[in-house]
Amino acid sequence: MEISDDTENVTFLIEPAQKVITDSQFIIFTEIFSIVCSSVSLLGSFGNLLVIKTFKYMGLQDGVTLSFVFLAASDLTYLLTMAVQGAALGLHGIEKKNEFKDFYSVDPFGIYIFLANLGILIYLVTMSITTFLAIARCLCVAMPIKFKNWFRRKTSVIMVVVFCIVSIVSYAPILMYMKMVKAYDARVNTTRYILWISPKREKIKQVVWISRDVFVTFLTQLIVVACVIILTRSLRAAAKFRHTTTAYSLPNSIATQAAIFTTHAKENNGESGLLESHLNSRSDNLTARDTRHQCDKLSPKDISVVQQVVLISTVYIVCNMPKICIDVTGMFVPEFTLGKSYQNLYLTFICVMELFQLFNSSIGILIYYNYNTKFRKNCSLFL
């Protein structure tokens, strides 16, 4: 239900009667969500600060490492927003629990909705950087000759700046048509700061939602899935190559040479020591050549970085699924949105989506710590 003021042409969000999830059930959910969201956000923020500090200490020598830092900075910004957002929703639950007999001078539900929209803007940067990292490593592994030197520090900086500009420009129109204003709130029967939403926002939201939220979400998901598949196959191919070369090529080559030299030694008794020395030299040369083949295929550092990107991308894919479900449901169920009869259900799904995104934005430090020996060594200095 919405209350409109025709003289100012503004709209204030008021909660209608709910279906599926009652207000009392939603209050319990908000209390749990507030505690979990705030706790995970603060822990994740500490983790991302540690990631940024560790990578800076290690030295930002290449574009991929710099992109990891940008990703941590984006995650940190999102997590700080979510910490306040979780607290605001918890305060809204307290207001509803006592039936607005006690209330705050600023509507916490309005703050929650505004920050939720701001979080969407910030999280788009995280989505973009994750996709960029997946593409960069995919091309460097699948086609190293063409793309090995493309993704340098300058490229990473330019791409992140572009991602930020696109995110702000694409979502700014929605934020421009909503703000906190002092007005009469029927729930508390007095004036206080509540969320104001312009009627124009809904039309703009439809355009932005279809062109950016739905399209970009599905597109990045498909790209990251494709990159993960290619990277996984490349890792398996590299492992198979090293195993085959080590297990068969080197022993067989040495065995063949040994048989030749042994036969020749019997025919030339005086040269047996020389032939043995030559055999050992040949073995060393074969070992060196085998090592060069392995390095040409995929270096240990590349494997470590690729494993990190694969795991980050996989977590991103899984954590992005609730958002896709919400987008698809919204396309077919008009009441599944704010101010409608399925608002509580909608907000519950939004909170679940945000918890998945919180996990995605907080897990980075664990991935780097487990898959990057240098990071683990330097990170320990700050713990």
Side-chain angles (χ1 to χ4, degrees), residues 47-52 54-55 58 64-73 75 126 129-130 133 304-305 307-313 360-379:
N48 280 290
L49 281 172
L50 193 57
V51 167
I52 294 171
T54 302
F55 275 128
M58 289 167 56
V64 174
T65 302
L66 189 60
S67 295
F68 283 139
V69 172
F70 287 138
L71 180 60
D75 286 335
T126 293
I129 297 175
T130 302
L133 278 167
S304 176
V305 173
Q307 287 175 334
Q308 293 176 56
V309 173
V310 168
L311 192 50
I312 289 172
S313 301
N360 180 45
S361 295
S362 305
I363 198 68
I365 186 171
L366 299 179
I367 296 174
Y368 305 139
Y369 194 86
N370 283 287
Y371 286 90
N372 191 321
T373 305
K374 187 178 179 182
F375 178 89
R376 181 165 57 251
K377 180 179 178 181
N378 286 277
C379 182

Side-chain angles (χ1 to χ4, degrees), residues 77-148:
T77 307
Y78 178 74
L79 289 169
L80 292 176
T81 303
M82 284 301 304
V84 181
Q85 190 177 325
L89 189 60
L91 295 175
H92 171 65
I94 294 174
E95 281 192 339
K96 292 191 70 171
K97 192 174 185 178
N98 61 39
E99 298 179 346
F100 294 96
K101 293 176 182 177
D102 296 321
F103 58 89
Y104 304 97
S105 57
V106 179
D107 179 21
F109 185 66
I111 295 175
Y112 166 76
I113 296 299
F114 185 85
L115 290 177
N117 282 270
L118 182 62
I120 294 173
L121 185 156
I122 298 170
Y123 195 72
L124 179 62
V125 178
T126 293
M127 291 169 57
S128 303
I129 297 175
T130 302
T131 306
F132 170 71
L133 278 167
I135 293 173
R137 298 315 299 174
C138 179
L139 292 177
C140 288
V141 171
M143 294 178 283
I145 297 177
K146 292 184 178 180
F147 296 101
K148 189 71 174 178

Side-chain angles (χ1 to χ4, degrees), residues 258-309:
I260 296 174
F261 288 144
T262 301
T263 302
H264 192 57
K266 291 179 179 179
E267 298 174 355
N268 302 274
N269 294 327
E271 299 178 5
S272 58
L274 179 62
L275 291 173
E276 182 179 359
S277 175
H278 185 62
L279 175 59
N280 292 332
S281 175
R282 181 63 175 173
S283 175
D284 292 339
N285 290 336
L286 287 170
T287 302
R289 188 167 65 229
D290 176 63
T291 302
R292 286 197 298 272
H293 280 308
Q294 294 182 36
C295 291
D296 290 340
K297 187 64 179 176
L298 209 62
S299 70
K301 180 182 177 181
D302 283 337
I303 292 174
S304 176
V305 173
V306 170
Q307 287 175 334
Q308 293 176 56
V309 173

